[in-house]
Amino acid sequence: MRELLLGLRLLLGSGRGNRVRFVLMAAGSAVGVACLAIVLAIPGILAAQDGRKAARSADCCAGDRPSGVTADEAPLELRLTDPYGSRPMIRVFHAPGAFAIDPPPGLSEFPDPGEVFVSPKLHKELRKEPGLAQLVPGRERGIIGAQGLAHPDELYAYIGVPRSQLQSGNPVTFYGWSYTNDETVEPSTLDIVRFTLSGVVLLPLIVYLSVCARLSAAARARRLAALRLVGLSKKGVQRVNAAETVAAALIGAVLGLGVYAVVNQLVSRIGLPGFRWFPSDGSLSLSTALVCLLGCPALACLAGVVGARKAAANPLAVRRSAAERPPARWGLLPLLPGLGIVIGYCVAGATGHAPRDTSLSSILMPLAVVLVGAGLVLALPIVCRSLARRVAGTSRSLPLGLAMRRNEVEPGGALRVATGLVLLVYAASLVQGVLIELDQVSKNTSPVQTYGLPLDGVSQGSQRAFEEVPGVQGHLIQARSWRNLTLEEWQPSIGILIATCAQLHKVAPLTRGCVDGRPARLLLPEQPYDDESRPGAIYPFHLDGQGDGRQVVKIRVPKEAIRYRDRAAIPIASSGDVLIPPSFFPAGYRPEDATLVLLSSSEPTTVRSVLDDIGGVDPTAHVDTPGVVVTALQQITVVKTILGMGMVLGLVIGVAAYLVAATDRAVERRPQVTALSLLGARPRTLRAVQVAQVVLPLAVGLVLAVVAGKAAESSYLVTGGGEVFWDGAGLPLLLACALGVMAVAAVGSLPLIGRRIDPELIRRD
């Protein structure tokens, strides 16, 4: 305790310079803790959204209905999810039952038939897009409360309908599950996000906080060495130094949490692209706040103890400014195995032996990324010292020679200045790899979009209205032969397409050999032929006559064949399906469990218009849109936004670490600069020396970061299961960023050499 109090007394009574340094340490810690809080708050935001989704999930339980009332008399509910651009729009149709139940969160009561409750965002969209009202029929009764929405931008509606209109609904007696099957971000994807954010934000953040904790390290080391020489113990010296750093870090942590609270309130109301949350969702939990309040001071304490180790062990060497020992070669150990794993995966991908979802890759890949990142930090002083020694021995330039000799004598300075930006460039490559993998998942390469509408319960008039929706380029009906599901043995079946030759040509213009009025087998060159579709085989089809009774028709597989090729990425037909003319069936009849397939352009505006018009025909129609998994698109949008936010935080941290370290190093070197000035060195020469001292270690680190980062990115893509392994398009951008970083570092080094010579800086203590 005595040493801790001594450290605080030295802080308050050691002059204005030390107090300014303390304020800078606290401010730097506040920025770092605010960034840390943002990263740690993301899982809590996602968990809060998933919790509200679970709370509004409907279920049915026999114990929740009055005795003597069957489940068929319970209220009915039908939940439909439709794509609205790249966002899902959720419509919940509710029909009253024989008894009342408690409404879901966000509603005070259920909508009556002909009434709707909508979310605030959907309320605005209905005003901007009148056609959207076809999907949300009824008079707007009110707004859904925040407790019933996952996030403020959710498109959600509760629609009241008569019970006769909701025959396909499910009975419901209560709301609220302990979990949700519709997570905002799937757990496996969330693990990737956490891992990426750790590399993009947390690793640079540790470096940044360590730099802030070691401001004016040389001056503080001389002061600590003096205390050691007057009799203070080794442990006491370390405690004195730790007291100052911990005090600054603790104050900075408190300020950082305050900064985060303000940022959360502002950003949650403004929103990020594709990702918004309620301010209460971003409130930090007690455990997260303790991590921020204790983690930053603990790191500062560790940095203080390590920083005081040399002054406590050899105070005379510190007071006499003895040359530092060269960095140990063991710093290369993490880099070598990390690069070995990364290069191994790259070779496996280049030779066509890429691993697919192996448990070994899920362990080795994160391990390799961490080893390479740590190896870059530890290897930088070793590489810079070796390079500086060679350049200084061969260069005939005075500024370059002075700069390289300084880097040779003090390689740790290069570590402090360049590490933050080096890790930023390295992490940028990893984020680029994750974004490439997500782009492979979300990219729609098909020129057309198909829509599947089950025809059970759909009238002939509604079917014709669906086929005539504006924007629909073609249509046909899919069905499969009847099978007796009560039998245990396997029964063969075939698929059929009900369409005329003109309808088939609209769906597949490359079709050849179609003759109107004649059935034919479809042959797809890219697919194996279905062996059950043998010419001459007979299959039964049960027909539904829309209230006119049922019939059974037997279809014989014909010998004639049609060469068929789909335009869609997801084939509408399979090789072996049979094309049946509509005239083959009695008027007003169609196969049971048939599906109407519509086809349109894949342009987002066209898809949106077609879905709106389908909803205008029948708002409760279930529409399947192959290739447009809107929930997956929303997840990808959220992940991209989170990664983009992580990159911004990483950029802020990396630049801040560079500015703090470069400025602090320039201030520490003022005595050497003053001595060189008194010896006759011109300011231009000194500026060139300063630029070379900063730019060369940074250039070496950035080259290593680009090479290692691209290798790590490629190995990540190789193990990700996608088709893209080598991202050549991203390399120019990465090199341009690296050159920009070097240019900014060079320009930022110029003003650090003043014009005035102050001999007071080189007086003896």
Side-chain angles (χ1 to χ4, degrees), residues 34 37 49 74 101 121 126 168 184 212 244 252 260 286 303 342 390 443 457 481 589 625 670 675 711 745 758:
Q49 294 182 357
I101 62 174
K121 186 64 174 179
L126 287 170
S168 59
T184 304
C212 291
E244 184 177 358
Y260 167 77
L286 179 60
V342 166
R390 291 191 177 187
K443 192 174 183 180
S481 60
Y589 284 84
T625 53
R670 286 186 303 173
D758 186 6

Short mmCIF file of all heavy atoms in Angstrom, two decimals, residues 34 37 49 74 101 121 126 168 184 212 244 252 260 286 303 342 390 443 457 481 589 625 670 675 711 745 758:
data_model
loop_
_atom_site.label_atom_id
_atom_site.label_comp_id
_atom_site.label_asym_id
_atom_site.label_seq_id
_atom_site.Cartn_x
_atom_site.Cartn_y
_atom_site.Cartn_z
N ALA A 34 -14.39 2.10 -24.64
CA ALA A 34 -15.62 2.31 -25.40
C ALA A 34 -15.70 1.35 -26.58
O ALA A 34 -16.76 0.76 -26.85
CB ALA A 34 -15.70 3.76 -25.88
N ALA A 37 -16.45 -2.10 -25.23
CA ALA A 37 -17.85 -2.23 -24.82
C ALA A 37 -18.75 -2.44 -26.03
O ALA A 37 -19.72 -3.21 -25.98
CB ALA A 37 -18.29 -1.00 -24.04
N GLN A 49 -32.90 -9.53 -29.08
CA GLN A 49 -33.80 -9.65 -30.22
C GLN A 49 -34.36 -11.07 -30.31
O GLN A 49 -35.56 -11.26 -30.56
CB GLN A 49 -33.06 -9.27 -31.50
CG GLN A 49 -32.66 -7.80 -31.56
CD GLN A 49 -31.98 -7.43 -32.86
OE1 GLN A 49 -31.76 -8.29 -33.71
NE2 GLN A 49 -31.65 -6.16 -33.03
N ALA A 74 -60.02 -23.88 -30.89
CA ALA A 74 -59.08 -22.87 -30.43
C ALA A 74 -58.88 -21.81 -31.51
O ALA A 74 -59.14 -22.04 -32.68
CB ALA A 74 -57.74 -23.52 -30.07
N ILE A 101 -57.83 -16.02 -25.62
CA ILE A 101 -56.49 -16.25 -25.06
C ILE A 101 -55.79 -14.92 -24.91
O ILE A 101 -56.22 -13.89 -25.46
CB ILE A 101 -55.65 -17.18 -25.98
CG1 ILE A 101 -55.45 -16.54 -27.36
CG2 ILE A 101 -56.32 -18.55 -26.12
CD1 ILE A 101 -54.51 -17.32 -28.26
N LYS A 121 -42.39 0.51 -38.63
CA LYS A 121 -41.74 0.55 -39.94
C LYS A 121 -42.71 0.15 -41.04
O LYS A 121 -42.73 0.78 -42.12
CB LYS A 121 -40.53 -0.39 -39.94
CG LYS A 121 -39.69 -0.31 -41.21
CD LYS A 121 -39.05 1.05 -41.38
CE LYS A 121 -38.12 1.08 -42.56
NZ LYS A 121 -37.50 2.41 -42.75
N LEU A 126 -46.39 1.26 -45.69
CA LEU A 126 -47.72 1.25 -46.28
C LEU A 126 -48.10 2.62 -46.83
O LEU A 126 -48.87 2.72 -47.80
CB LEU A 126 -48.75 0.81 -45.23
CG LEU A 126 -48.74 -0.68 -44.86
CD1 LEU A 126 -49.62 -0.94 -43.66
CD2 LEU A 126 -49.20 -1.52 -46.05
N SER A 168 -56.25 -23.33 -43.19
CA SER A 168 -54.90 -23.90 -43.09
C SER A 168 -54.15 -23.40 -41.86
O SER A 168 -52.95 -23.68 -41.73
CB SER A 168 -54.10 -23.56 -44.35
OG SER A 168 -54.00 -22.14 -44.52
N THR A 184 -31.58 -14.14 -35.09
CA THR A 184 -31.12 -13.01 -35.91
C THR A 184 -29.84 -13.39 -36.64
O THR A 184 -29.67 -13.07 -37.82
CB THR A 184 -30.88 -11.79 -35.02
OG1 THR A 184 -32.09 -11.48 -34.30
CG2 THR A 184 -30.49 -10.58 -35.85
N CYS A 212 -0.97 2.93 -24.63
CA CYS A 212 -1.43 4.02 -23.75
C CYS A 212 -0.87 3.87 -22.34
O CYS A 212 -0.55 4.87 -21.68
CB CYS A 212 -2.96 4.04 -23.70
SG CYS A 212 -3.74 4.54 -25.24
N GLU A 244 0.27 4.21 -11.00
CA GLU A 244 -0.05 5.28 -11.95
C GLU A 244 -0.84 4.75 -13.14
O GLU A 244 -1.85 5.33 -13.55
CB GLU A 244 1.23 5.95 -12.42
CG GLU A 244 1.00 7.14 -13.32
CD GLU A 244 2.30 7.82 -13.70
OE1 GLU A 244 3.36 7.39 -13.22
OE2 GLU A 244 2.23 8.78 -14.47
N GLY A 252 -10.08 5.96 -17.05
CA GLY A 252 -10.43 5.82 -18.46
C GLY A 252 -11.53 4.82 -18.69
O GLY A 252 -12.39 5.01 -19.56
N TYR A 260 -19.63 5.01 -24.16
CA TYR A 260 -20.42 3.96 -24.82
C TYR A 260 -21.91 4.19 -24.60
O TYR A 260 -22.71 3.99 -25.53
CB TYR A 260 -20.03 2.58 -24.30
CG TYR A 260 -21.03 1.53 -24.73
CD1 TYR A 260 -21.02 1.05 -26.03
CD2 TYR A 260 -22.01 1.06 -23.86
CE1 TYR A 260 -21.95 0.12 -26.46
CE2 TYR A 260 -22.95 0.14 -24.28
CZ TYR A 260 -22.91 -0.33 -25.57
OH TYR A 260 -23.85 -1.24 -25.99
N LEU A 286 -24.08 -6.58 -16.15
CA LEU A 286 -23.14 -6.38 -15.06
C LEU A 286 -21.82 -7.08 -15.34
O LEU A 286 -20.74 -6.51 -15.10
CB LEU A 286 -23.74 -6.90 -13.75
CG LEU A 286 -22.86 -6.78 -12.50
CD1 LEU A 286 -22.51 -5.31 -12.24
CD2 LEU A 286 -23.54 -7.41 -11.29
N ALA A 303 1.12 -4.17 -17.90
CA ALA A 303 2.05 -3.35 -18.66
C ALA A 303 2.96 -2.54 -17.74
O ALA A 303 4.15 -2.35 -18.02
CB ALA A 303 1.27 -2.41 -19.59
N VAL A 342 -1.12 -22.19 -42.55
CA VAL A 342 -1.76 -21.40 -43.60
C VAL A 342 -1.29 -21.84 -44.98
O VAL A 342 -2.09 -22.06 -45.90
CB VAL A 342 -1.48 -19.90 -43.36
CG1 VAL A 342 -1.83 -19.09 -44.59
CG2 VAL A 342 -2.27 -19.39 -42.16
N ARG A 390 21.66 -4.00 -41.61
CA ARG A 390 22.23 -4.16 -42.96
C ARG A 390 22.19 -2.86 -43.74
O ARG A 390 23.16 -2.50 -44.42
CB ARG A 390 21.45 -5.24 -43.71
CG ARG A 390 21.67 -6.63 -43.14
CD ARG A 390 21.11 -7.67 -44.08
NE ARG A 390 21.38 -9.02 -43.59
CZ ARG A 390 21.12 -10.14 -44.27
NH1 ARG A 390 20.58 -10.04 -45.48
NH2 ARG A 390 21.39 -11.31 -43.76
N LYS A 443 -25.26 -14.38 -53.31
CA LYS A 443 -25.34 -13.91 -54.69
C LYS A 443 -26.34 -14.73 -55.48
O LYS A 443 -26.29 -15.95 -55.51
CB LYS A 443 -23.96 -14.01 -55.34
CG LYS A 443 -23.88 -13.28 -56.67
CD LYS A 443 -22.46 -13.29 -57.19
CE LYS A 443 -22.34 -12.51 -58.48
NZ LYS A 443 -20.95 -12.50 -58.99
N GLY A 457 -57.00 -25.93 -51.93
CA GLY A 457 -57.92 -24.90 -51.45
C GLY A 457 -57.98 -23.66 -52.30
O GLY A 457 -58.69 -22.71 -51.95
N SER A 481 -47.29 -38.43 -58.86
CA SER A 481 -48.29 -39.49 -58.85
C SER A 481 -48.63 -39.89 -57.43
O SER A 481 -47.84 -39.71 -56.49
CB SER A 481 -47.77 -40.71 -59.64
OG SER A 481 -46.56 -41.20 -59.07
N TYR A 589 -60.79 -30.18 -63.19
CA TYR A 589 -60.06 -31.09 -62.32
C TYR A 589 -58.55 -30.86 -62.46
O TYR A 589 -58.06 -30.48 -63.54
CB TYR A 589 -60.38 -32.55 -62.66
CG TYR A 589 -61.72 -33.02 -62.18
CD1 TYR A 589 -62.86 -32.78 -62.93
CD2 TYR A 589 -61.85 -33.69 -60.97
CE1 TYR A 589 -64.11 -33.19 -62.51
CE2 TYR A 589 -63.09 -34.11 -60.52
CZ TYR A 589 -64.21 -33.86 -61.29
OH TYR A 589 -65.45 -34.29 -60.85
N THR A 625 -40.25 -19.08 -52.68
CA THR A 625 -39.39 -18.38 -53.64
C THR A 625 -38.00 -19.02 -53.61
O THR A 625 -37.13 -18.59 -52.85
CB THR A 625 -39.29 -16.89 -53.27
OG1 THR A 625 -38.90 -16.75 -51.91
CG2 THR A 625 -40.61 -16.19 -53.49
N ARG A 670 13.37 13.77 -28.10
CA ARG A 670 13.77 15.17 -28.16
C ARG A 670 15.19 15.42 -27.67
O ARG A 670 15.92 16.24 -28.25
CB ARG A 670 12.77 16.04 -27.39
CG ARG A 670 11.45 16.23 -28.10
CD ARG A 670 10.57 17.21 -27.37
NE ARG A 670 10.32 16.76 -25.99
CZ ARG A 670 9.69 17.50 -25.07
NH1 ARG A 670 9.26 18.70 -25.37
NH2 ARG A 670 9.50 17.03 -23.86
N ALA A 675 20.53 17.13 -29.29
CA ALA A 675 21.98 16.91 -29.36
C ALA A 675 22.48 16.95 -30.80
O ALA A 675 23.51 17.56 -31.10
CB ALA A 675 22.33 15.57 -28.71
N ALA A 711 -2.40 -14.84 -47.38
CA ALA A 711 -2.28 -16.29 -47.21
C ALA A 711 -3.33 -16.82 -46.24
O ALA A 711 -3.97 -17.85 -46.48
CB ALA A 711 -0.88 -16.65 -46.74
N ALA A 745 1.65 8.14 -42.34
CA ALA A 745 2.67 8.05 -41.30
C ALA A 745 3.84 8.97 -41.61
O ALA A 745 4.40 9.62 -40.70
CB ALA A 745 3.15 6.60 -41.19
N ASP A 758 16.24 23.58 -27.78
CA ASP A 758 16.10 23.77 -26.34
C ASP A 758 17.19 22.97 -25.63
O ASP A 758 17.03 21.77 -25.39
CB ASP A 758 14.72 23.32 -25.89
CG ASP A 758 14.47 23.64 -24.41
OD1 ASP A 758 15.33 24.32 -23.81
OD2 ASP A 758 13.42 23.22 -23.88
#
